[in-house]
Amino acid sequence: MMDWANRSLNALAAIAVVVAAIVYGSAGPAQAAPDDLSAALADRPSHVATNWIGVAAVGYDVVAFFTKGEALKGDKDITATHDGAIYRFVSTDNRDLFLKDPAALAPQFGGYGAMGVRMGKKLRPERSPAWQVADEKLFLFIDEDTKAMWNETAERNEKIAHAIWDTIRNVPPKMLLAPATN
């Protein structure tokens, strides 16, 4: 009976690692052992929205949003590190352009969903984020609905989001999702 329980617990632990790898954007469970996953999650910067291996902007080339007006997935072999996060690019030209002024080309609010920041949350866009370039700044959104809400009063929302961002920039995202206690 005890052997069956141990095998069941080991199977559940393996499933949890696979689910965590999928949720945090890895290519598969073979990339990290449980100890590696814990270390990777602990090392992620809280002020930049990254997946569990430290890739920002959901792996999209942030320069392409400006130059091509498209969301293009970056190449895992063409990267640059900025502000504790890894950015991927479709070309070395885009990477080199990014490195000239990364603060100007990196997404606002560390790549967290702009409307989420406006509401005091740090929500990481998943898969294909909604996005826009406005006033030469890149904004990412969780989806098209939050982008539309943002654009109803974009100037006001941006001012509020920047004020809130100054307060929550270094707060871990999970702490912002926890319910308030009295």
Side-chain angles (χ1 to χ4, degrees), residues 57 59-62 64-65 67-75 88-90 94 131:
Y60 285 89
D61 181 333
V62 294
F65 289 115
T67 61
K68 301 269 187 197
E70 294 182 63
L72 301 174
K73 276 291 196 176
D75 184 317
R88 292 180 175 171
F89 304 93
V90 296
N94 280 12
W131 63 276

Side-chain angles (χ1 to χ4, degrees), residues 49-82:
T50 63
N51 66 10
W52 74 277
I53 58 172
V55 175
V58 198
Y60 285 89
D61 181 333
V62 294
V63 174
F65 289 115
F66 291 93
T67 61
K68 301 269 187 197
E70 294 182 63
L72 301 174
K73 276 291 196 176
D75 184 317
K76 68 180 178 83
D77 295 323
I78 306 173
T79 65
T81 301
H82 169 67

Side-chain angles (χ1 to χ4, degrees), residues 69-118:
E70 294 182 63
L72 301 174
K73 276 291 196 176
D75 184 317
K76 68 180 178 83
D77 295 323
I78 306 173
T79 65
T81 301
H82 169 67
D83 215 8
I86 301 164
Y87 289 85
R88 292 180 175 171
F89 304 93
V90 296
S91 68
T92 55
D93 289 341
N94 280 12
R95 181 198 58 211
D96 295 345
L97 185 60
F98 178 80
L99 288 171
K100 286 181 183 177
D101 194 359
L105 296 169
Q108 297 295 295
F109 315 117
Y112 287 101
M115 194 63 193
V117 172
R118 159 62 173 93

Side-chain angles (χ1 to χ4, degrees), residues 5-173:
N6 285 336
R7 283 189 298 200
S8 296
L9 286 174
N10 287 339
L12 286 173
I15 290 169
V17 169
V18 170
V19 169
I22 291 168
V23 167
Y24 288 102
S26 86
Q31 286 193 354
D35 290 340
D36 295 336
L37 178 60
S38 298
L41 291 173
D43 290 341
R44 291 187 313 164
S46 63
H47 60 282
V48 181
T50 63
N51 66 10
W52 74 277
I53 58 172
V55 175
V58 198
Y60 285 89
D61 181 333
V62 294
V63 174
F65 289 115
F66 291 93
T67 61
K68 301 269 187 197
E70 294 182 63
L72 301 174
K73 276 291 196 176
D75 184 317
K76 68 180 178 83
D77 295 323
I78 306 173
T79 65
T81 301
H82 169 67
D83 215 8
I86 301 164
Y87 289 85
R88 292 180 175 171
F89 304 93
V90 296
S91 68
T92 55
D93 289 341
N94 280 12
R95 181 198 58 211
D96 295 345
L97 185 60
F98 178 80
L99 288 171
K100 286 181 183 177
D101 194 359
L105 296 169
Q108 297 295 295
F109 315 117
Y112 287 101
M115 194 63 193
V117 172
R118 159 62 173 93
M119 296 184 300
K121 306 288 184 200
K122 290 168 108 175
L123 305 173
R124 187 174 73 89
E126 302 288 337
R127 293 177 183 75
S128 299
W131 63 276
Q132 72 183 31
V133 174
D135 298 323
E136 298 182 27
K137 295 179 272 187
L138 174 60
F139 296 89
L140 300 180
F141 302 91
I142 300 304
D143 55 29
E144 290 296 330
D145 290 338
T146 58
K147 178 181 171 181
M149 287 190 316
W150 175 270
N151 284 320
E152 287 174 7
T153 55
E155 188 175 315
R156 181 174 187 267
N157 286 332
E158 185 177 349
K159 285 179 185 176
I160 293 168
H162 277 292
I164 291 171
W165 182 246
D166 290 343
T167 303
I168 68 171
R169 182 180 189 273
N170 292 313
V171 177

